[in-house]
PDB file of all heavy atoms in Angstrom:
ATOM      1  N   THR N   9     -64.279  -2.869 -57.621  1.00  0.00           N
ATOM      2  CA  THR N   9     -64.990  -4.075 -58.199  1.00  0.00           C
ATOM      3  C   THR N   9     -65.209  -5.090 -57.142  1.00  0.00           C
ATOM      4  O   THR N   9     -65.449  -6.282 -57.454  1.00  0.00           O
ATOM      5  CB  THR N   9     -64.289  -4.669 -59.433  1.00  0.00           C
ATOM      6  OG1 THR N   9     -63.046  -5.288 -58.996  1.00  0.00           O
ATOM      7  CG2 THR N   9     -64.006  -3.615 -60.503  1.00  0.00           C
ATOM      8  N   VAL N  10     -65.237  -4.739 -55.843  1.00  0.00           N
ATOM      9  CA  VAL N  10     -65.512  -5.660 -54.794  1.00  0.00           C
ATOM     10  C   VAL N  10     -67.002  -5.527 -54.385  1.00  0.00           C
ATOM     11  O   VAL N  10     -67.330  -4.538 -53.743  1.00  0.00           O
ATOM     12  CB  VAL N  10     -64.608  -5.400 -53.577  1.00  0.00           C
ATOM     13  CG1 VAL N  10     -64.962  -6.391 -52.376  1.00  0.00           C
ATOM     14  CG2 VAL N  10     -63.144  -5.543 -53.919  1.00  0.00           C
ATOM     15  N   SER N  11     -67.779  -6.442 -54.834  1.00  0.00           N
ATOM     16  CA  SER N  11     -69.227  -6.370 -54.622  1.00  0.00           C
ATOM     17  C   SER N  11     -69.531  -6.337 -53.066  1.00  0.00           C
ATOM     18  O   SER N  11     -69.059  -7.097 -52.302  1.00  0.00           O
ATOM     19  CB  SER N  11     -69.901  -7.597 -55.224  1.00  0.00           C
ATOM     20  OG  SER N  11     -71.287  -7.611 -54.944  1.00  0.00           O
ATOM     21  N   GLY N  12     -70.388  -5.354 -52.744  1.00  0.00           N
ATOM     22  CA  GLY N  12     -70.850  -5.265 -51.389  1.00  0.00           C
ATOM     23  C   GLY N  12     -69.843  -4.736 -50.390  1.00  0.00           C
ATOM     24  O   GLY N  12     -70.049  -4.807 -49.174  1.00  0.00           O
ATOM     25  N   ALA N  13     -68.774  -4.108 -50.859  1.00  0.00           N
ATOM     26  CA  ALA N  13     -67.707  -3.649 -49.957  1.00  0.00           C
ATOM     27  C   ALA N  13     -68.196  -2.558 -49.041  1.00  0.00           C
ATOM     28  O   ALA N  13     -67.769  -2.369 -47.907  1.00  0.00           O
ATOM     29  CB  ALA N  13     -66.506  -3.175 -50.757  1.00  0.00           C
ATOM     30  N   PHE N  14     -69.131  -1.734 -49.528  1.00  0.00           N
ATOM     31  CA  PHE N  14     -69.731  -0.650 -48.679  1.00  0.00           C
ATOM     32  C   PHE N  14     -70.910  -1.240 -47.885  1.00  0.00           C
ATOM     33  O   PHE N  14     -72.043  -1.164 -48.356  1.00  0.00           O
ATOM     34  CB  PHE N  14     -70.158   0.520 -49.543  1.00  0.00           C
ATOM     35  CG  PHE N  14     -69.019   1.244 -50.256  1.00  0.00           C
ATOM     36  CD1 PHE N  14     -69.302   2.227 -51.207  1.00  0.00           C
ATOM     37  CD2 PHE N  14     -67.702   0.975 -49.983  1.00  0.00           C
ATOM     38  CE1 PHE N  14     -68.273   2.924 -51.882  1.00  0.00           C
ATOM     39  CE2 PHE N  14     -66.668   1.617 -50.667  1.00  0.00           C
ATOM     40  CZ  PHE N  14     -66.987   2.625 -51.588  1.00  0.00           C
ATOM     41  N   THR N  15     -70.568  -1.877 -46.840  1.00  0.00           N
ATOM     42  CA  THR N  15     -71.579  -2.528 -45.938  1.00  0.00           C
ATOM     43  C   THR N  15     -72.409  -1.558 -45.231  1.00  0.00           C
ATOM     44  O   THR N  15     -72.156  -0.335 -45.221  1.00  0.00           O
ATOM     45  CB  THR N  15     -70.866  -3.453 -44.990  1.00  0.00           C
ATOM     46  OG1 THR N  15     -69.996  -2.679 -44.141  1.00  0.00           O
ATOM     47  CG2 THR N  15     -69.990  -4.448 -45.722  1.00  0.00           C
ATOM     48  N   LYS N  16     -73.408  -2.066 -44.494  1.00  0.00           N
ATOM     49  CA  LYS N  16     -74.203  -1.196 -43.693  1.00  0.00           C
ATOM     50  C   LYS N  16     -73.384  -0.526 -42.632  1.00  0.00           C
ATOM     51  O   LYS N  16     -73.542   0.690 -42.368  1.00  0.00           O
ATOM     52  CB  LYS N  16     -75.312  -2.058 -42.970  1.00  0.00           C
ATOM     53  CG  LYS N  16     -76.204  -1.242 -42.062  1.00  0.00           C
ATOM     54  CD  LYS N  16     -77.155  -2.069 -41.250  1.00  0.00           C
ATOM     55  CE  LYS N  16     -78.190  -2.788 -42.042  1.00  0.00           C
ATOM     56  NZ  LYS N  16     -79.148  -3.514 -41.267  1.00  0.00           N
ATOM     57  N   ASP N  17     -72.373  -1.214 -42.054  1.00  0.00           N
ATOM     58  CA  ASP N  17     -71.542  -0.603 -41.032  1.00  0.00           C
ATOM     59  C   ASP N  17     -70.733   0.534 -41.665  1.00  0.00           C
ATOM     60  O   ASP N  17     -70.498   1.574 -41.015  1.00  0.00           O
ATOM     61  CB  ASP N  17     -70.602  -1.653 -40.414  1.00  0.00           C
ATOM     62  CG  ASP N  17     -71.320  -2.636 -39.518  1.00  0.00           C
ATOM     63  OD1 ASP N  17     -72.421  -2.286 -39.056  1.00  0.00           O
ATOM     64  OD2 ASP N  17     -70.797  -3.673 -39.228  1.00  0.00           O
ATOM     65  N   VAL N  18     -70.194   0.305 -42.896  1.00  0.00           N
ATOM     66  CA  VAL N  18     -69.402   1.319 -43.578  1.00  0.00           C
ATOM     67  C   VAL N  18     -70.253   2.597 -43.860  1.00  0.00           C
ATOM     68  O   VAL N  18     -69.865   3.718 -43.549  1.00  0.00           O
ATOM     69  CB  VAL N  18     -68.769   0.823 -44.802  1.00  0.00           C
ATOM     70  CG1 VAL N  18     -68.164   1.913 -45.671  1.00  0.00           C
ATOM     71  CG2 VAL N  18     -67.716  -0.212 -44.461  1.00  0.00           C
ATOM     72  N   VAL N  19     -71.429   2.370 -44.372  1.00  0.00           N
ATOM     73  CA  VAL N  19     -72.313   3.481 -44.747  1.00  0.00           C
ATOM     74  C   VAL N  19     -72.772   4.266 -43.454  1.00  0.00           C
ATOM     75  O   VAL N  19     -72.731   5.528 -43.438  1.00  0.00           O
ATOM     76  CB  VAL N  19     -73.526   3.007 -45.502  1.00  0.00           C
ATOM     77  CG1 VAL N  19     -74.529   4.134 -45.734  1.00  0.00           C
ATOM     78  CG2 VAL N  19     -73.116   2.406 -46.846  1.00  0.00           C
ATOM     79  N   ARG N  20     -73.056   3.526 -42.424  1.00  0.00           N
ATOM     80  CA  ARG N  20     -73.476   4.235 -41.191  1.00  0.00           C
ATOM     81  C   ARG N  20     -72.291   4.981 -40.539  1.00  0.00           C
ATOM     82  O   ARG N  20     -72.518   6.059 -40.010  1.00  0.00           O
ATOM     83  CB  ARG N  20     -74.125   3.211 -40.234  1.00  0.00           C
ATOM     84  CG  ARG N  20     -75.470   2.767 -40.709  1.00  0.00           C
ATOM     85  CD  ARG N  20     -76.206   1.884 -39.737  1.00  0.00           C
ATOM     86  NE  ARG N  20     -77.645   1.682 -40.195  1.00  0.00           N
ATOM     87  CZ  ARG N  20     -78.480   0.852 -39.626  1.00  0.00           C
ATOM     88  NH1 ARG N  20     -78.098   0.143 -38.538  1.00  0.00           N
ATOM     89  NH2 ARG N  20     -79.705   0.703 -40.079  1.00  0.00           N
ATOM     90  N   ALA N  21     -71.161   4.368 -40.621  1.00  0.00           N
ATOM     91  CA  ALA N  21     -69.924   5.107 -40.041  1.00  0.00           C
ATOM     92  C   ALA N  21     -69.691   6.325 -40.856  1.00  0.00           C
ATOM     93  O   ALA N  21     -69.310   7.387 -40.331  1.00  0.00           O
ATOM     94  CB  ALA N  21     -68.703   4.121 -40.091  1.00  0.00           C
ATOM     95  N   LEU N  22     -69.877   6.256 -42.164  1.00  0.00           N
ATOM     96  CA  LEU N  22     -69.709   7.412 -42.971  1.00  0.00           C
ATOM     97  C   LEU N  22     -70.653   8.529 -42.610  1.00  0.00           C
ATOM     98  O   LEU N  22     -70.228   9.691 -42.520  1.00  0.00           O
ATOM     99  CB  LEU N  22     -69.950   7.011 -44.479  1.00  0.00           C
ATOM    100  CG  LEU N  22     -69.748   8.061 -45.585  1.00  0.00           C
ATOM    101  CD1 LEU N  22     -68.305   8.429 -45.674  1.00  0.00           C
ATOM    102  CD2 LEU N  22     -70.293   7.521 -46.951  1.00  0.00           C
ATOM    103  N   CYS N  23     -71.886   8.189 -42.354  1.00  0.00           N
ATOM    104  CA  CYS N  23     -72.905   9.230 -42.009  1.00  0.00           C
ATOM    105  C   CYS N  23     -72.692   9.712 -40.585  1.00  0.00           C
ATOM    106  O   CYS N  23     -73.157  10.845 -40.273  1.00  0.00           O
ATOM    107  CB  CYS N  23     -74.303   8.637 -42.175  1.00  0.00           C
ATOM    108  SG  CYS N  23     -74.710   8.275 -43.903  1.00  0.00           S
ATOM    109  N   GLU N  24     -72.121   8.951 -39.749  1.00  0.00           N
ATOM    110  CA  GLU N  24     -71.811   9.448 -38.378  1.00  0.00           C
ATOM    111  C   GLU N  24     -70.714  10.475 -38.396  1.00  0.00           C
ATOM    112  O   GLU N  24     -70.629  11.353 -37.527  1.00  0.00           O
ATOM    113  CB  GLU N  24     -71.407   8.213 -37.475  1.00  0.00           C
ATOM    114  CG  GLU N  24     -72.525   7.371 -37.082  1.00  0.00           C
ATOM    115  CD  GLU N  24     -72.083   6.093 -36.306  1.00  0.00           C
ATOM    116  OE1 GLU N  24     -70.859   6.020 -36.055  1.00  0.00           O
ATOM    117  OE2 GLU N  24     -72.949   5.208 -36.044  1.00  0.00           O
ATOM    118  N   GLY N  25     -69.826  10.373 -39.423  1.00  0.00           N
ATOM    119  CA  GLY N  25     -68.754  11.338 -39.527  1.00  0.00           C
ATOM    120  C   GLY N  25     -69.164  12.724 -40.032  1.00  0.00           C
ATOM    121  O   GLY N  25     -68.595  13.737 -39.604  1.00  0.00           O
ATOM    122  N   VAL N  26     -70.053  12.751 -41.026  1.00  0.00           N
ATOM    123  CA  VAL N  26     -70.520  14.017 -41.604  1.00  0.00           C
ATOM    124  C   VAL N  26     -72.029  13.847 -41.905  1.00  0.00           C
ATOM    125  O   VAL N  26     -72.525  12.781 -42.071  1.00  0.00           O
ATOM    126  CB  VAL N  26     -69.744  14.355 -42.909  1.00  0.00           C
ATOM    127  CG1 VAL N  26     -68.267  14.625 -42.610  1.00  0.00           C
ATOM    128  CG2 VAL N  26     -69.863  13.189 -43.937  1.00  0.00           C
ATOM    129  N   ASP N  27     -72.672  15.046 -42.000  1.00  0.00           N
ATOM    130  CA  ASP N  27     -74.102  15.018 -42.205  1.00  0.00           C
ATOM    131  C   ASP N  27     -74.523  14.587 -43.579  1.00  0.00           C
ATOM    132  O   ASP N  27     -75.484  13.764 -43.648  1.00  0.00           O
ATOM    133  CB  ASP N  27     -74.695  16.449 -41.925  1.00  0.00           C
ATOM    134  CG  ASP N  27     -74.566  16.877 -40.476  1.00  0.00           C
ATOM    135  OD1 ASP N  27     -74.484  15.991 -39.618  1.00  0.00           O
ATOM    136  OD2 ASP N  27     -74.583  18.086 -40.230  1.00  0.00           O
ATOM    137  N   ARG N  28     -73.877  15.010 -44.580  1.00  0.00           N
ATOM    138  CA  ARG N  28     -74.268  14.699 -45.995  1.00  0.00           C
ATOM    139  C   ARG N  28     -73.051  14.231 -46.790  1.00  0.00           C
ATOM    140  O   ARG N  28     -72.453  14.979 -47.602  1.00  0.00           O
ATOM    141  CB  ARG N  28     -74.932  15.895 -46.687  1.00  0.00           C
ATOM    142  CG  ARG N  28     -76.171  16.464 -46.077  1.00  0.00           C
ATOM    143  CD  ARG N  28     -77.363  15.493 -46.027  1.00  0.00           C
ATOM    144  NE  ARG N  28     -77.653  14.827 -47.313  1.00  0.00           N
ATOM    145  CZ  ARG N  28     -78.549  15.349 -48.178  1.00  0.00           C
ATOM    146  NH1 ARG N  28     -79.103  16.556 -47.977  1.00  0.00           N
ATOM    147  NH2 ARG N  28     -78.860  14.648 -49.263  1.00  0.00           N
ATOM    148  N   PRO N  29     -72.636  13.019 -46.575  1.00  0.00           N
ATOM    149  CA  PRO N  29     -71.466  12.520 -47.302  1.00  0.00           C
ATOM    150  C   PRO N  29     -71.771  12.270 -48.752  1.00  0.00           C
ATOM    151  O   PRO N  29     -72.916  11.975 -49.148  1.00  0.00           O
ATOM    152  CB  PRO N  29     -71.126  11.200 -46.600  1.00  0.00           C
ATOM    153  CG  PRO N  29     -72.490  10.736 -46.108  1.00  0.00           C
ATOM    154  CD  PRO N  29     -73.173  11.996 -45.664  1.00  0.00           C
ATOM    155  N   ILE N  30     -70.727  12.432 -49.623  1.00  0.00           N
ATOM    156  CA  ILE N  30     -70.851  12.108 -51.046  1.00  0.00           C
ATOM    157  C   ILE N  30     -70.359  10.679 -51.246  1.00  0.00           C
ATOM    158  O   ILE N  30     -69.239  10.334 -50.872  1.00  0.00           O
ATOM    159  CB  ILE N  30     -70.074  13.093 -51.928  1.00  0.00           C
ATOM    160  CG1 ILE N  30     -70.662  14.492 -51.749  1.00  0.00           C
ATOM    161  CG2 ILE N  30     -70.105  12.640 -53.385  1.00  0.00           C
ATOM    162  CD1 ILE N  30     -69.737  15.570 -52.357  1.00  0.00           C
ATOM    163  N   LEU N  31     -71.265   9.764 -51.680  1.00  0.00           N
ATOM    164  CA  LEU N  31     -70.980   8.380 -51.742  1.00  0.00           C
ATOM    165  C   LEU N  31     -71.035   7.906 -53.236  1.00  0.00           C
ATOM    166  O   LEU N  31     -72.130   7.998 -53.834  1.00  0.00           O
ATOM    167  CB  LEU N  31     -71.972   7.563 -50.904  1.00  0.00           C
ATOM    168  CG  LEU N  31     -71.827   6.049 -50.867  1.00  0.00           C
ATOM    169  CD1 LEU N  31     -70.467   5.649 -50.333  1.00  0.00           C
ATOM    170  CD2 LEU N  31     -72.912   5.457 -50.033  1.00  0.00           C
ATOM    171  N   LEU N  32     -69.898   7.465 -53.778  1.00  0.00           N
ATOM    172  CA  LEU N  32     -69.876   7.170 -55.179  1.00  0.00           C
ATOM    173  C   LEU N  32     -69.329   5.747 -55.430  1.00  0.00           C
ATOM    174  O   LEU N  32     -68.176   5.514 -55.629  1.00  0.00           O
ATOM    175  CB  LEU N  32     -68.939   8.203 -55.910  1.00  0.00           C
ATOM    176  CG  LEU N  32     -69.244   9.669 -55.666  1.00  0.00           C
ATOM    177  CD1 LEU N  32     -68.211  10.524 -56.362  1.00  0.00           C
ATOM    178  CD2 LEU N  32     -70.675  10.030 -56.179  1.00  0.00           C
ATOM    179  N   PRO N  33     -70.257   4.764 -55.393  1.00  0.00           N
ATOM    180  CA  PRO N  33     -69.904   3.412 -55.738  1.00  0.00           C
ATOM    181  C   PRO N  33     -69.816   3.253 -57.234  1.00  0.00           C
ATOM    182  O   PRO N  33     -70.886   3.089 -57.858  1.00  0.00           O
ATOM    183  CB  PRO N  33     -70.992   2.516 -55.114  1.00  0.00           C
ATOM    184  CG  PRO N  33     -72.179   3.427 -55.073  1.00  0.00           C
ATOM    185  CD  PRO N  33     -71.670   4.810 -54.966  1.00  0.00           C
ATOM    186  N   LEU N  34     -68.682   3.294 -57.852  1.00  0.00           N
ATOM    187  CA  LEU N  34     -68.574   3.451 -59.268  1.00  0.00           C
ATOM    188  C   LEU N  34     -68.235   2.149 -60.061  1.00  0.00           C
ATOM    189  O   LEU N  34     -68.209   2.146 -61.257  1.00  0.00           O
ATOM    190  CB  LEU N  34     -67.504   4.483 -59.616  1.00  0.00           C
ATOM    191  CG  LEU N  34     -67.803   5.893 -59.084  1.00  0.00           C
ATOM    192  CD1 LEU N  34     -66.615   6.822 -59.318  1.00  0.00           C
ATOM    193  CD2 LEU N  34     -69.078   6.455 -59.644  1.00  0.00           C
ATOM    194  N   SER N  35     -68.005   1.066 -59.355  1.00  0.00           N
ATOM    195  CA  SER N  35     -67.571  -0.174 -60.054  1.00  0.00           C
ATOM    196  C   SER N  35     -68.792  -0.689 -60.854  1.00  0.00           C
ATOM    197  O   SER N  35     -69.966  -0.572 -60.446  1.00  0.00           O
ATOM    198  CB  SER N  35     -67.128  -1.211 -59.084  1.00  0.00           C
ATOM    199  OG  SER N  35     -65.927  -0.859 -58.450  1.00  0.00           O
ATOM    200  N   ASN N  36     -68.483  -1.290 -61.972  1.00  0.00           N
ATOM    201  CA  ASN N  36     -69.486  -1.978 -62.781  1.00  0.00           C
ATOM    202  C   ASN N  36     -68.836  -3.250 -63.334  1.00  0.00           C
ATOM    203  O   ASN N  36     -67.630  -3.404 -63.346  1.00  0.00           O
ATOM    204  CB  ASN N  36     -70.026  -0.992 -63.870  1.00  0.00           C
ATOM    205  CG  ASN N  36     -68.902  -0.537 -64.794  1.00  0.00           C
ATOM    206  OD1 ASN N  36     -68.394  -1.306 -65.634  1.00  0.00           O
ATOM    207  ND2 ASN N  36     -68.491   0.740 -64.681  1.00  0.00           N
ATOM    208  N   PRO N  37     -69.712  -4.208 -63.805  1.00  0.00           N
ATOM    209  CA  PRO N  37     -71.175  -4.182 -63.887  1.00  0.00           C
ATOM    210  C   PRO N  37     -71.875  -4.274 -62.521  1.00  0.00           C
ATOM    211  O   PRO N  37     -71.156  -4.226 -61.497  1.00  0.00           O
ATOM    212  CB  PRO N  37     -71.440  -5.405 -64.782  1.00  0.00           C
ATOM    213  CG  PRO N  37     -70.374  -6.327 -64.458  1.00  0.00           C
ATOM    214  CD  PRO N  37     -69.177  -5.488 -64.254  1.00  0.00           C
ATOM    215  N   THR N  38     -73.121  -4.480 -62.567  1.00  0.00           N
ATOM    216  CA  THR N  38     -73.916  -4.533 -61.272  1.00  0.00           C
ATOM    217  C   THR N  38     -73.390  -5.558 -60.295  1.00  0.00           C
ATOM    218  O   THR N  38     -73.384  -5.376 -59.115  1.00  0.00           O
ATOM    219  CB  THR N  38     -75.399  -4.839 -61.629  1.00  0.00           C
ATOM    220  OG1 THR N  38     -75.881  -3.841 -62.524  1.00  0.00           O
ATOM    221  CG2 THR N  38     -76.230  -4.889 -60.366  1.00  0.00           C
ATOM    222  N   SER N  39     -72.887  -6.657 -60.796  1.00  0.00           N
ATOM    223  CA  SER N  39     -72.378  -7.699 -59.899  1.00  0.00           C
ATOM    224  C   SER N  39     -71.122  -7.288 -59.141  1.00  0.00           C
ATOM    225  O   SER N  39     -70.716  -7.952 -58.144  1.00  0.00           O
ATOM    226  CB  SER N  39     -71.992  -8.944 -60.724  1.00  0.00           C
ATOM    227  OG  SER N  39     -71.020  -8.668 -61.726  1.00  0.00           O
ATOM    228  N   ARG N  40     -70.543  -6.143 -59.479  1.00  0.00           N
ATOM    229  CA  ARG N  40     -69.301  -5.725 -58.879  1.00  0.00           C
ATOM    230  C   ARG N  40     -69.412  -4.399 -58.112  1.00  0.00           C
ATOM    231  O   ARG N  40     -68.467  -3.878 -57.548  1.00  0.00           O
ATOM    232  CB  ARG N  40     -68.155  -5.617 -59.840  1.00  0.00           C
ATOM    233  CG  ARG N  40     -67.883  -6.941 -60.507  1.00  0.00           C
ATOM    234  CD  ARG N  40     -66.621  -6.931 -61.341  1.00  0.00           C
ATOM    235  NE  ARG N  40     -66.328  -8.179 -61.964  1.00  0.00           N
ATOM    236  CZ  ARG N  40     -65.180  -8.520 -62.559  1.00  0.00           C
ATOM    237  NH1 ARG N  40     -64.187  -7.686 -62.550  1.00  0.00           N
ATOM    238  NH2 ARG N  40     -65.016  -9.704 -63.106  1.00  0.00           N
ATOM    239  N   ILE N  41     -70.659  -3.781 -58.076  1.00  0.00           N
ATOM    240  CA  ILE N  41     -70.795  -2.516 -57.406  1.00  0.00           C
ATOM    241  C   ILE N  41     -70.613  -2.655 -55.876  1.00  0.00           C
ATOM    242  O   ILE N  41     -70.986  -3.652 -55.297  1.00  0.00           O
ATOM    243  CB  ILE N  41     -72.179  -1.896 -57.782  1.00  0.00           C
ATOM    244  CG1 ILE N  41     -72.222  -0.455 -57.326  1.00  0.00           C
ATOM    245  CG2 ILE N  41     -73.296  -2.672 -57.154  1.00  0.00           C
ATOM    246  CD1 ILE N  41     -73.442   0.277 -57.824  1.00  0.00           C
ATOM    247  N   GLU N  42     -70.006  -1.625 -55.301  1.00  0.00           N
ATOM    248  CA  GLU N  42     -69.690  -1.693 -53.879  1.00  0.00           C
ATOM    249  C   GLU N  42     -70.940  -1.641 -52.954  1.00  0.00           C
ATOM    250  O   GLU N  42     -70.941  -2.230 -51.883  1.00  0.00           O
ATOM    251  CB  GLU N  42     -68.768  -0.492 -53.501  1.00  0.00           C
ATOM    252  CG  GLU N  42     -67.347  -0.631 -53.968  1.00  0.00           C
ATOM    253  CD  GLU N  42     -67.192  -0.212 -55.416  1.00  0.00           C
ATOM    254  OE1 GLU N  42     -68.127   0.325 -56.058  1.00  0.00           O
ATOM    255  OE2 GLU N  42     -66.076  -0.375 -55.933  1.00  0.00           O
ATOM    256  N   VAL N  43     -71.996  -0.972 -53.438  1.00  0.00           N
ATOM    257  CA  VAL N  43     -73.254  -0.943 -52.724  1.00  0.00           C
ATOM    258  C   VAL N  43     -74.396  -0.545 -53.711  1.00  0.00           C
ATOM    259  O   VAL N  43     -74.186   0.297 -54.506  1.00  0.00           O
ATOM    260  CB  VAL N  43     -73.215   0.004 -51.479  1.00  0.00           C
ATOM    261  CG1 VAL N  43     -73.032   1.485 -51.900  1.00  0.00           C
ATOM    262  CG2 VAL N  43     -74.506  -0.103 -50.672  1.00  0.00           C
ATOM    263  N   MET N  44     -75.494  -1.287 -53.585  1.00  0.00           N
ATOM    264  CA  MET N  44     -76.637  -0.870 -54.405  1.00  0.00           C
ATOM    265  C   MET N  44     -77.269   0.390 -53.848  1.00  0.00           C
ATOM    266  O   MET N  44     -77.352   0.574 -52.632  1.00  0.00           O
ATOM    267  CB  MET N  44     -77.704  -1.995 -54.457  1.00  0.00           C
ATOM    268  CG  MET N  44     -77.188  -3.245 -55.219  1.00  0.00           C
ATOM    269  SD  MET N  44     -76.780  -2.881 -56.967  1.00  0.00           S
ATOM    270  CE  MET N  44     -78.380  -2.436 -57.587  1.00  0.00           C
ATOM    271  N   PRO N  45     -77.745   1.286 -54.731  1.00  0.00           N
ATOM    272  CA  PRO N  45     -78.287   2.584 -54.274  1.00  0.00           C
ATOM    273  C   PRO N  45     -79.401   2.478 -53.223  1.00  0.00           C
ATOM    274  O   PRO N  45     -79.453   3.218 -52.266  1.00  0.00           O
ATOM    275  CB  PRO N  45     -78.747   3.254 -55.567  1.00  0.00           C
ATOM    276  CG  PRO N  45     -77.978   2.642 -56.606  1.00  0.00           C
ATOM    277  CD  PRO N  45     -77.720   1.205 -56.235  1.00  0.00           C
ATOM    278  N   HIS N  46     -80.304   1.466 -53.439  1.00  0.00           N
ATOM    279  CA  HIS N  46     -81.463   1.374 -52.506  1.00  0.00           C
ATOM    280  C   HIS N  46     -80.931   1.013 -51.075  1.00  0.00           C
ATOM    281  O   HIS N  46     -81.509   1.494 -50.080  1.00  0.00           O
ATOM    282  CB  HIS N  46     -82.471   0.379 -52.965  1.00  0.00           C
ATOM    283  CG  HIS N  46     -81.947  -1.007 -53.195  1.00  0.00           C
ATOM    284  ND1 HIS N  46     -81.796  -1.926 -52.196  1.00  0.00           N
ATOM    285  CD2 HIS N  46     -81.600  -1.627 -54.341  1.00  0.00           C
ATOM    286  CE1 HIS N  46     -81.337  -3.049 -52.713  1.00  0.00           C
ATOM    287  NE2 HIS N  46     -81.225  -2.935 -54.006  1.00  0.00           N
ATOM    288  N   ASP N  47     -79.886   0.252 -50.978  1.00  0.00           N
ATOM    289  CA  ASP N  47     -79.298  -0.067 -49.675  1.00  0.00           C
ATOM    290  C   ASP N  47     -78.646   1.172 -49.073  1.00  0.00           C
ATOM    291  O   ASP N  47     -78.839   1.476 -47.872  1.00  0.00           O
ATOM    292  CB  ASP N  47     -78.341  -1.211 -49.766  1.00  0.00           C
ATOM    293  CG  ASP N  47     -78.979  -2.564 -50.034  1.00  0.00           C
ATOM    294  OD1 ASP N  47     -80.115  -2.769 -49.567  1.00  0.00           O
ATOM    295  OD2 ASP N  47     -78.322  -3.427 -50.615  1.00  0.00           O
ATOM    296  N   ALA N  48     -77.899   1.895 -49.876  1.00  0.00           N
ATOM    297  CA  ALA N  48     -77.178   3.055 -49.376  1.00  0.00           C
ATOM    298  C   ALA N  48     -78.193   4.137 -48.926  1.00  0.00           C
ATOM    299  O   ALA N  48     -77.983   4.769 -47.914  1.00  0.00           O
ATOM    300  CB  ALA N  48     -76.284   3.616 -50.434  1.00  0.00           C
TER     301      ALA N  48
END
């Protein structure tokens, strides 16, 4: 429930580690999601 916790740096580091990572930002409501899908 930490809004924006999956930052650009986190997402890019994730993709540098593996080709197709599974990314599941599951917190809700929208104000608490870790990353919005369009950003990810």
Side-chain angles (χ1 to χ4, degrees):
T9 69
V10 178
S11 176
F14 294 173
T15 63
K16 180 189 292 187
D17 288 342
V18 168
V19 173
R20 289 187 171 174
L22 183 68
C23 293
E24 287 174 3
V26 294
D27 292 336
R28 300 298 308 273
I30 297 171
L31 179 60
L32 307 176
L34 299 175
S35 292
N36 60 72
T38 302
S39 61
R40 300 191 179 193
I41 192 171
E42 287 82 5
V43 63
M44 291 300 293
H46 57 82
D47 288 330

